[in-house]
Amino acid sequence: PAFESAVKKHFAPGTYDLLRKNCNSFSDTALQLITGKRLDEKYRRLEALGHKVDKKVSFVQRATAGAYAPNPRAGGFDPCLAARSCHREVSAAADGPARVPLCC
């Protein structure tokens, strides 16, 4: 219950974003909490590139004819910061430090 409660705070309805906060973001955060390791770089690389290019020249917005628009509720999301926050909450609920150390 503590894990679910902690993670829900960072992945609330309406905060999804194709490039900045998606299923890979969730997997990255959850993996850090469960295993202490990040999602493999090969799964994070394409969305990171897409986000950088879209931020500079609105590439994804143009390529989708405006169908994609950045979700302001996803701005500033960082899976490492989310994992740290969840780690603290889970540790507090367990009345001691979590068993898995974070990688970032």
Side-chain angles (χ1 to χ4, degrees):
F3 176 85
E4 182 179 349
S5 173
V7 171
K8 275 185 174 181
K9 293 176 183 176
H10 297 280
F11 294 94
T15 62
Y16 177 87
D17 184 272
L18 177 68
L19 298 175
R20 300 181 293 169
K21 189 176 177 188
N22 54 42
C23 57
N24 283 349
S25 306
F26 175 83
S27 297
D28 193 17
T29 301
L31 279 169
Q32 288 181 72
L33 285 170
I34 296 166
T35 68
K37 297 182 182 187
R38 296 203 64 188
L39 183 67
D40 192 291
E41 176 67 27
K42 68 183 176 185
Y43 300 110
R44 296 181 284 131
R45 190 176 305 131
L46 184 59
E47 67 193 18
L49 176 63
H51 178 241
K52 285 178 184 175
V53 171
D54 195 64
K55 189 175 179 179
K56 296 219 185 258
V57 295
S58 302
F59 174 78
V60 177
Q61 294 175 61
R62 290 179 188 181
T64 62
Y68 168 74
N71 183 347
R73 293 186 64 200
F77 178 78
D78 181 328
C80 286
L81 294 177
R84 284 188 201 135
S85 172
C86 292
H87 192 268
R88 283 191 300 273
E89 187 171 330
V90 170
S91 294
D95 203 23
R99 289 177 276 178
V100 178
L102 293 178
C103 61
C104 62

